[in-house]
Amino acid sequence: MAAFAKGVYDAAAYSAFRPVYPRRLFDKLWEYHAASGRPDLRWQRAVDLGCGTGQATVVIAERFGETIGVDPSPNMVSQATKQLTGQYITPYVSTSGRTTEAVPAETRIRYHQSPAENLSFLNDNSVDFAGAAQAIHWFDYGKLWKELGRVLKPGGTAAFWGYSEMRIKGFPSLTPLITYYSQGSNPIDPQRVATGEKVSPERDSLSAYWEQPGRSILNFGLTAVPAPPAETFDSIESKVIAFTGDYRDDIVQRYRKLGRNVEANECVLDRPMNWTLLDKYCRTWISLSNYRDAHPELADEQPDIVNRFLERLREEMQRATGSVPETFVVEWPTTVLLFRKRG
């Protein structure tokens, strides 16, 4: 996660143009969490690990009395804190099944600059829920599981989710173009990264500029994330939810081959876009930032690599359908991992 943590990444753009996690995803988290059978401990404190600008933090805060966003990047923590000003959330009262009046977000949320693997500011058995949205692929799992085992209450839960390469709904012929731009002609998986294999640069592809193994872990649906220690977390209670729809059945099949409890669902993470918004989203990719760092001589290149990619998408839309729509829906296949601490 080095590029995010440098303090120079455009956190405001990241917050504005990234996809927004849907309520249906969170409903699945709360359904799993509520099954802990410990109503006295269930909804007091949550921690959002690798919180970034706090997009998921504010939704988590609707359900918990206190929510702490944790991120190693001072830039992300600063942006997340700024966004609390004037922001309100509507807490959900789980015991009565109703919501209360909106309250200032800063009354229920605070942010702390720290890596996820170091939660020394939290006491043992003091956290009901730990989440990580689009961040688990950066963590040191051995250290993380040990720290979560310490801070989570008995029966407490952990939920990690991440989305893979985007798709444009209704335009399947664009997928190879997207995959080449993002992953190149020979997409690399986490096992190949683990052997030390490097991605070779290719013309008009950002494949060589992703930080690995993080990106390959996301693209392969988090299947490379190791299970937590069985003596601390209940392996029978663990669960995978694949919001991948028809796009990534390979992810579902990978989990089944691993013997994991996986629930397949339609793709629910999406966002209506036009060409301007898609351009801005593509410019938040950390691989583009790394590409520019590696090629300062291309700083003034026009059209640049993003422009050329979007033009290829438009040309394929025209070829496939005879027209180029001004608006469309971008979808991201998403995987959720759920775990419960023994107790």
Side-chain angles (χ1 to χ4, degrees):
M1 199 170 180
F4 287 114
K6 287 177 183 175
V8 297
Y9 190 76
D10 190 344
Y14 183 94
S15 178
F17 303 121
R18 288 274 165 156
V20 177
Y21 304 111
R23 296 290 169 159
R24 181 174 170 186
L25 186 152
F26 287 100
D27 287 345
K28 288 289 186 179
L29 307 189
W30 309 149
E31 177 184 312
Y32 179 84
H33 184 73
S36 67
R38 301 196 55 149
D40 55 323
L41 303 176
R42 212 179 283 163
W43 307 100
Q44 294 173 3
R45 176 183 284 169
V47 178
D48 182 14
L49 305 172
C51 66
T53 58
Q55 184 189 98
T57 316
V58 295
V59 182
I60 294 171
E62 295 175 358
R63 297 301 300 254
F64 292 87
E66 178 189 26
T67 299
I68 306 167
V70 178
D71 200 279
S73 167
N75 218 22
M76 291 293 187
V77 170
S78 175
Q79 181 66 24
T81 302
K82 288 178 183 177
Q83 290 178 176
L84 288 182
T85 303
Q87 186 171 9
Y88 285 76
I89 58 175
T90 304
Y92 181 92
V93 183
S94 59
T95 54
S96 63
R98 59 183 175 81
T99 57
T100 60
E101 293 184 1
V103 299
E106 60 262 31
T107 64
R108 295 172 72 97
I109 298 171
R110 63 185 172 96
Y111 291 102
H112 186 91
Q113 185 185 338
S114 176
E117 300 87 348
N118 180 8
L119 303 176
S120 56
F121 61 95
L122 293 172
N123 294 329
D124 295 359
N125 302 313
S126 64
V127 174
D128 297 288
F129 170 84
Q134 200 71 357
I136 183 65
H137 54 297
W138 298 118
F139 299 158
D140 180 325
Y141 308 120
K143 293 180 180 178
L144 177 72
W145 289 128
K146 182 177 180 180
E147 192 69 332
L148 287 183
R150 181 184 68 81
V151 302
L152 281 173
K153 297 175 183 178
T157 60
F160 307 132
W161 61 100
Y163 55 86
S164 55
E165 190 178 82
M166 71 177 184
R167 298 288 183 259
I168 299 183
K169 188 174 184 178
F171 293 91
S173 67
L174 300 183
T175 296
L177 298 177
I178 296 169
T179 298
Y180 176 79
Y181 177 67
S182 176
Q183 300 185 61
S185 58
N186 187 26
I188 192 166
D189 63 41
Q191 287 185 326
R192 288 164 57 198
V193 173
T195 66
E197 183 177 341
K198 303 294 183 182
V199 181
S200 299
E202 296 184 71
R203 170 69 178 171
D204 280 341
S205 175
L206 295 176
S207 56
Y209 303 95
W210 291 107
E211 294 177 336
Q212 297 289 4
R215 187 62 191 182
S216 64
I217 292 172
L218 278 180
N219 282 335
F220 282 76
L222 306 182
T223 51
V225 174
E231 63 270 21
T232 308
F233 291 84
D234 190 337
S235 59
I236 296 176
E237 288 282 313
S238 69
K239 184 177 182 180
V240 179
I241 303 176
F243 291 106
T244 53
D246 297 332
Y247 294 125
R248 297 297 306 274
D249 184 62
D250 62 297
I251 291 175
V252 176
Q253 297 308 319
R254 284 173 184 270
Y255 277 109
R256 287 177 177 162
K257 287 181 180 178
L258 291 170
R260 301 285 293 276
N261 175 17
V262 58
E263 175 186 322
N265 280 271
E266 65 185 71
C267 192
V268 296
L269 182 58
D270 58 26
R271 183 167 183 174
M273 287 193 178
N274 56 31
W275 292 102
T276 299
L277 186 55
L278 182 58
D279 179 280
K280 291 181 182 296
Y281 164 66
C282 288
R283 294 182 189 280
T284 69
W285 291 19
I286 200 65
S287 55
L288 178 64
S289 177
N290 292 337
Y291 170 84
R292 287 171 168 167
D293 287 346
H295 298 285
E297 75 279 7
L298 300 178
D300 298 321
E301 181 185 38
Q302 290 297 329
D304 69 4
I305 190 170
V306 178
N307 299 142
R308 296 194 297 272
F309 167 58
L310 297 182
E311 183 56 30
R312 287 193 295 275
L313 294 185
R314 284 189 283 263
E315 288 174 354
E316 175 55 27
M317 280 183 170
Q318 181 68 43
R319 187 205 66 78
T321 67
S323 64
V324 179
E326 286 299 315
T327 60
F328 40 84
V329 175
V330 177
E331 296 186 310
W332 292 266
T334 303
T335 307
V336 181
L337 308 181
L338 296 165
F339 305 96
R340 192 183 314 282
K341 182 180 174 181
R342 292 186 181 276

